[in-house]
Amino acid sequence: MALIVQKFGGTSVGSIEKIRAVAERVLKERQAGHRMIVVLSAMAGETDRLIGLARQMQHIPDPRELDMLVSTGEQVSIALFAMAVKGAGYDAVSLLGDQVAIHTDQMHTRARIDSIDADRINRYLDQGKIVTVAGFQGVSDNGDITTLGRGGSDTTAVALAAALHADACEIFTDVAGVFTTDPGIYDKARKIDYISYEEMLELASLGAKVLDIRAVSMAKRFKVPVHVRSTFGNTIGTWVVDEEKIMESMLVSGITYSKKEARITVKKVPDQPGIAAKVFLPISDAGILVDMIIQNAHEGGLTDMTFTVPKADYERAMEILHKVAREIQAQTVTGDQEIAKISIVGLGMRNHAGIASTMFQIMSREGINMMMVSTSEIKVSVVIAEKYTELAVRALHDAFALDKENLPQEEVD
Amino acid sequence: MALIVQKFGGTSVGSIEKIRAVAERVLKERQAGHRMIVVLSAMAGETDRLIGLARQMQHIPDPRELDMLVSTGEQVSIALFAMAVKGAGYDAVSLLGDQVAIHTDQMHTRARIDSIDADRINRYLDQGKIVTVAGFQGVSDNGDITTLGRGGSDTTAVALAAALHADACEIFTDVAGVFTTDPGIYDKARKIDYISYEEMLELASLGAKVLDIRAVSMAKRFKVPVHVRSTFGNTIGTWVVDEEKIMESMLVSGITYSKKEARITVKKVPDQPGIAAKVFLPISDAGILVDMIIQNAHEGGLTDMTFTVPKADYERAMEILHKVAREIQAQTVTGDQEIAKISIVGLGMRNHAGIASTMFQIMSREGINMMMVSTSEIKVSVVIAEKYTELAVRALHDAFALDKENLPQEEVD
């Protein structure tokens, strides 16, 4: 008899019929003797509807009141789910974040979980109840409802699994698992059976949207085995587990891309100590996230600073930087929104220095110019012109033979 | 500087624009220096929508989960209201039943308030905040969300006014106040300026839907002055106050009618001790409310039992009674759904025995047969054929001169 946490997202609970189908799925596990905790998101579209109401009411909705408002979405889902279970003749009980209690800090709309009380859930589980918990929400020290930000229901599920020492945390989604790359771009993309937390972190942060990055990070910290799988059908998805559980690591596990960033260069900056802070401080003060940063020294004490920012913040960043450039007497600021970031991720890279060079060879062979390169222990990212995205992804996928079975590969070079 | 509780119903907060209008109205009181507590219902139609979802999910929705579900309606209203106030540059904070806290028993979907903590609200009021509280909901001892049943927001408002020793509790509704009779039936109906709790209790229980009966009962107990008034415009409505505050009581304050009941007669029942229980116990066991009861003795130890039940329960009641009649060897069971109950209510009746006889005279003059009569200290009710409803109401309204100013009247006879 295992303790299993299952999380279902908004599309999985988007209607009465779908919630009933989720209940039937959960009941099969219950009938198999497992203790079940079910974390639900709001019904598809509900959170956006509520945020829309808030924005109509107040230009920038008050964060505390916004949490009070949007947290109703998950509350509706868990109540209906509990009714579905009871209607099927089993016992269930729904719990809100403050009823569990899921304690968070007071940062409304993006709160972090401090601790979770396991007592009440354990008591209900001992009574044979299926416990359904509202995802995405918690309670602050002063009793206010907080929310964990978008994707927060994944975090709720993993945190509950950690606090209750669950045997597994299953994240149900509308895709079959984690793929070697976006199947929408390349039909040879293959589902990955096992992937390490570290790799998943890189994939999640690079835009593979199957699992929230904070959830992965928490799963890693508490070694919670996470199973990402499809709500539709009963196929095995991808297990995100501790590195040690994976017999042999792939050189490269997956290839991701992002078209959501823009590149900015501040040209011929006088190269003095503290100059980088003068450039980046106003950007971060404006709440703009800078991703890749590259600095090229010119002769004569001048340097070019190139970095990427989210496309949505591009205009604001340019405005700020033109002002900064005048102040620090840089020559000019240029930008490019027609870029894509392609990344290869794999634990195996650690021991194989050739991965990056293989990547560069492939790009060169395809005639794709690399504007920026950045590497981490298990990742290599390059920025290229947006129009080459598909070409690059497919060529790299072939080169690293990611369509082949999940066995250790030889280095390609 | 007064402490005022204002309650707005579903139609008053039925849209973003309407909630904003409510905020503006509340802010006027705030600007006049008053401390404001605002109790809100769910946006019009929302509670019904949620109950609809619940019924789709489970034939008879689980009461605890139903409360979990429908309580989201008020939560949405108060969050949006707080945003509206903040958007207008004032401070506000929204509180749920459990955040206040409003402690109730555990009778889900029809919980009763046990006590209210005033501390948190007082602290916020001291900080200059407008405090908005979700109507209709509370929290049970084990931390579950409870709801007070339909009309529960009125009760929330009066209970808060009592607990916080508010100077007034204003119930905003879509009518201008309490009328001498239904203006839809008789255009001479006049708004009543002052009415006692006792009279209001009789009026509320007789179907005048402006104010929930439990709210009136609580207002009476804690002597909370209640002002029933229209959301639209700024006219004075009806003050429901302690009897002693009303200089001179009207003989008759109002005339109400109800077409929601049916009449049933069990004929020629053997008149033995305990026979009434045998008739009524199965009815009350089925959850059917019996209102007026009349018993007429025949010769030869037989008796007729006549009583009224809600029309909605008529078929069920008839089914049960046919069975009962066979068991107790009563002759037959007859029923009539085409009836109406007409009632006159007034504190002044206590000292004027002639009221009932005046009523009977009028009915006789108009040729209306009275099938049943029942009286209480401040009320006389008669059951007549439904088709005479309007005729009876108008004739009685004229006879007691209810269209005249709010001065003591002479008895008419």
Side-chain angles (χ1 to χ4, degrees):
Chain A
M1 193 177 79
L3 172 59
I4 302 172
V5 177
Q6 293 191 328
K7 178 258 171 179
F8 296 86
T11 50
S12 303
V13 295
S15 68
I16 293 290
E17 292 70 31
K18 285 183 174 179
I19 294 175
R20 198 171 276 135
V22 167
E24 280 162 18
R25 177 184 275 280
V26 171
L27 281 174
K28 279 194 191 122
E29 303 285 350
R30 178 75 186 73
Q31 284 152 2
H34 300 310
R35 291 155 74 90
M36 302 300 298
I37 299 171
V38 180
V39 176
L40 300 180
S41 300
M43 294 170 80
E46 181 64 5
T47 304
D48 286 338
R49 183 184 76 87
L50 292 167
I51 291 175
L53 286 177
R55 292 212 174 120
Q56 276 179 268
M57 189 56 92
Q58 196 180 5
H59 183 54
I60 300 169
D62 180 76
R64 179 194 184 275
E65 300 302 336
L66 192 58
D67 282 354
M68 176 68 97
L69 183 72
V70 297
S71 59
T72 59
E74 285 72 21
Q75 186 169 340
V76 167
S77 297
I78 57 171
L80 290 173
F81 174 82
M83 287 177 198
V85 171
K86 294 206 154 200
Y90 286 78
D91 204 4
V93 62
S94 67
L95 292 176
L96 299 172
D98 74 307
Q99 291 176 326
V100 168
I102 298 172
H103 300 282
T104 74
D105 60 21
Q106 298 187 24
M107 296 301 286
H108 285 288
T109 75
R110 51 197 169 91
R112 301 194 73 89
I113 296 174
D114 289 330
S115 67
I116 291 183
D117 300 342
D119 290 357
R120 188 164 180 183
I121 291 182
N122 274 325
R123 199 162 64 240
Y124 286 138
L125 290 173
D126 289 344
Q127 291 167 6
K129 288 180 165 71
I130 292 171
V131 179
T132 179
V133 177
F136 176 65
Q137 60 180 240
V139 61
S140 70
D141 279 352
N142 56 5
D144 288 335
I145 295 174
T146 54
T147 66
L148 311 176
R150 285 271 163 157
S153 290
D154 288 354
T155 307
T156 303
V158 172
L160 282 169
L164 283 120
H165 309 292
D167 298 283
C169 179
E170 300 199 303
I171 306 286
F172 288 83
T173 172
D174 49 5
V175 296
V178 182
F179 281 76
T180 49
T181 195
D182 180 357
I185 271 198
Y186 199 21
D187 55 13
K188 286 191 181 170
R190 190 178 45 74
K191 180 168 64 65
I192 301 170
D193 293 337
Y194 289 92
I195 195 166
S196 70
Y197 298 124
E198 289 79 2
E199 289 167 303
M200 195 63 216
L201 273 178
E202 292 288 2
L203 291 173
S205 65
L206 292 170
K209 274 169 281 177
V210 288
L211 195 54
D212 182 66
I213 187 166
R214 282 166 60 196
V216 181
S217 170
M218 187 174 286
K220 175 171 183 281
R221 188 166 154 212
F222 295 101
K223 303 211 180 203
V224 175
V226 176
H227 186 190
V228 180
R229 58 190 300 196
S230 169
T231 310
F232 314 104
N234 261 310
T235 51
I236 302 291
T238 300
W239 279 94
V240 189
V241 293
D242 198 58
E243 193 177 330
E244 293 158 17
K245 296 263 173 69
I246 303 175
M247 289 292 285
E248 290 195 84
S249 299
M250 305 286 286
L251 280 181
V252 171
S253 290
I255 297 167
T256 66
Y257 66 93
S258 166
K259 297 180 175 180
K260 290 191 174 163
E261 288 172 65
R263 186 175 61 117
I264 297 175
T265 303
V266 186
K267 287 199 169 155
K268 296 199 178 164
V269 178
D271 198 1
Q272 301 152 355
I275 198 78
K278 279 191 184 148
V279 172
F280 292 114
L281 210 61
I283 298 286
S284 70
D285 282 351
I288 299 171
L289 286 176
V290 172
D291 181 23
M292 295 167 76
I293 300 178
I294 284 173
Q295 195 167 335
N296 292 331
H298 283 267
E299 288 177 12
L302 295 174
T303 190
D304 286 356
M305 286 182 175
T306 303
F307 47 89
T308 59
V309 297
K311 248 176 211 170
D313 296 323
Y314 176 75
E315 300 294 347
R316 255 188 335 134
M318 286 299 275
E319 202 176 304
I320 292 166
L321 288 164
H322 276 298
K323 217 168 119 193
V324 169
R326 280 194 299 277
E327 286 167 16
I328 62 172
Q329 298 185 306
Q331 189 195 54
T332 181
V333 182
T334 62
D336 182 0
Q337 297 192 72
E338 309 286 305
I339 63 158
K341 184 170 66 173
I342 314 289
S343 305
I344 56 176
V345 173
L347 276 183
M349 280 186 205
R350 284 185 191 146
N351 313 313
H352 296 264
I355 294 285
S357 64
T358 302
M359 185 181 195
F360 301 160
Q361 275 175 38
I362 301 296
M363 303 304 265
S364 158
R365 194 188 71 201
E366 300 295 333
I368 302 170
N369 182 39
M370 297 187 292
M371 304 172 183
M372 301 171 81
V373 175
S374 125
T375 60
S376 80
E377 209 182 353
I378 62 166
K379 182 191 70 173
V380 182
S381 298
V382 298
V383 168
I384 62 173
E386 187 174 352
K387 63 182 173 183
Y388 294 126
T389 306
E390 290 76 10
L391 175 62
V393 167
R394 289 173 197 157
L396 291 167
H397 201 272
D398 286 346
F400 290 107
L402 294 185
D403 56 330
K404 298 295 189 304
E405 253 315 294
N406 214 350
L407 297 166
Q409 299 150 283
E410 289 311 304
E411 198 167 336
V412 181
D413 62 358
Chain B
M1 191 178 76
L3 171 59
I4 301 172
V5 177
Q6 293 192 328
K7 178 259 170 179
F8 296 87
T11 50
S12 303
V13 295
S15 68
I16 293 289
E17 292 69 33
K18 285 183 173 177
I19 294 175
R20 197 171 276 133
V22 167
E24 279 161 18
R25 176 185 277 278
V26 171
L27 281 173
K28 278 195 192 124
E29 304 285 349
R30 177 77 186 74
Q31 284 152 0
H34 300 309
R35 292 155 73 92
M36 301 301 296
I37 300 171
V38 180
V39 176
L40 301 181
S41 300
M43 293 170 80
E46 181 63 5
T47 304
D48 287 337
R49 183 184 76 86
L50 292 167
I51 290 176
L53 286 177
R55 292 212 174 123
Q56 277 179 265
M57 189 56 93
Q58 195 180 3
H59 183 55
I60 300 168
D62 180 77
R64 178 193 184 276
E65 300 302 336
L66 190 60
D67 282 353
M68 176 68 96
L69 182 73
V70 298
S71 59
T72 59
E74 285 72 20
Q75 187 168 339
V76 167
S77 296
I78 57 172
L80 290 173
F81 174 82
M83 288 178 198
V85 171
K86 292 206 155 199
Y90 286 78
D91 204 3
V93 64
S94 67
L95 292 176
L96 299 172
D98 74 307
Q99 291 175 327
V100 167
I102 298 173
H103 300 282
T104 73
D105 60 23
Q106 298 188 23
M107 296 301 289
H108 285 288
T109 75
R110 51 199 169 90
R112 301 194 74 89
I113 297 173
D114 288 332
S115 67
I116 291 182
D117 300 343
D119 289 358
R120 189 163 179 184
I121 291 181
N122 274 326
R123 199 163 63 241
Y124 286 138
L125 290 173
D126 288 344
Q127 290 167 7
K129 288 180 165 70
I130 292 171
V131 179
T132 178
V133 177
F136 177 63
Q137 60 179 241
V139 63
S140 69
D141 279 351
N142 56 5
D144 288 334
I145 296 174
T146 53
T147 66
L148 311 176
R150 286 271 163 156
S153 290
D154 287 355
T155 307
T156 303
V158 173
L160 283 170
L164 283 121
H165 309 292
D167 297 284
C169 178
E170 299 199 304
I171 306 287
F172 288 84
T173 174
D174 48 6
V175 296
V178 181
F179 281 76
T180 50
T181 195
D182 179 359
I185 270 198
Y186 199 22
D187 55 10
K188 284 191 181 171
R190 190 178 43 77
K191 182 166 63 66
I192 302 170
D193 294 335
Y194 290 91
I195 194 166
S196 70
Y197 298 124
E198 288 79 2
E199 288 166 304
M200 195 62 214
L201 272 178
E202 292 289 0
L203 291 173
S205 64
L206 293 170
K209 275 168 281 179
V210 288
L211 194 54
D212 181 67
I213 187 167
R214 283 167 57 196
V216 181
S217 169
M218 187 174 286
K220 176 172 183 279
R221 186 163 155 214
F222 295 102
K223 303 208 179 206
V224 175
V226 176
H227 186 190
V228 180
R229 57 191 299 199
S230 170
T231 311
F232 315 104
N234 262 308
T235 50
I236 301 290
T238 300
W239 279 94
V240 188
V241 294
D242 198 60
E243 193 178 332
E244 291 159 18
K245 296 262 174 67
I246 304 174
M247 289 293 284
E248 290 196 81
S249 301
M250 305 285 285
L251 279 182
V252 172
S253 291
I255 297 166
T256 67
Y257 66 93
S258 166
K259 297 179 175 179
K260 290 190 175 163
E261 288 171 66
R263 185 176 62 117
I264 296 176
T265 303
V266 186
K267 285 200 171 155
K268 296 199 177 163
V269 178
D271 200 358
Q272 299 152 356
I275 199 76
K278 279 192 184 146
V279 172
F280 293 113
L281 210 60
I283 298 285
S284 71
D285 282 351
I288 299 171
L289 286 176
V290 173
D291 182 22
M292 294 167 77
I293 299 178
I294 285 174
Q295 194 169 334
N296 291 333
H298 283 267
E299 287 176 14
L302 295 174
T303 188
D304 287 355
M305 287 182 174
T306 302
F307 48 90
T308 59
V309 297
K311 250 177 212 172
D313 296 323
Y314 176 74
E315 299 295 347
R316 252 184 343 128
M318 286 299 275
E319 202 176 306
I320 292 167
L321 288 165
H322 276 298
K323 218 169 115 192
V324 168
R326 278 194 300 275
E327 286 167 17
I328 61 171
Q329 298 183 304
Q331 189 194 56
T332 182
V333 182
T334 61
D336 182 0
Q337 297 193 72
E338 309 286 305
I339 62 159
K341 184 171 67 174
I342 313 290
S343 305
I344 56 177
V345 173
L347 276 182
M349 281 187 204
R350 285 184 190 147
N351 313 314
H352 295 266
I355 294 286
S357 63
T358 303
M359 185 181 195
F360 302 158
Q361 275 176 39
I362 301 297
M363 302 304 264
S364 156
R365 193 189 71 200
E366 300 295 333
I368 302 170
N369 182 38
M370 298 186 291
M371 304 173 185
M372 301 171 81
V373 175
S374 125
T375 60
S376 81
E377 208 181 357
I378 63 168
K379 180 191 72 173
V380 182
S381 298
V382 297
V383 169
I384 60 172
E386 187 174 353
K387 63 182 174 183
Y388 295 127
T389 306
E390 290 76 11
L391 174 62
V393 167
R394 289 173 198 158
L396 291 167
H397 201 271
D398 285 348
F400 290 106
L402 295 184
D403 57 326
K404 299 296 190 303
E405 252 317 294
N406 213 351
L407 296 165
Q409 299 152 283
E410 288 312 303
E411 198 168 334
V412 181
D413 62 357

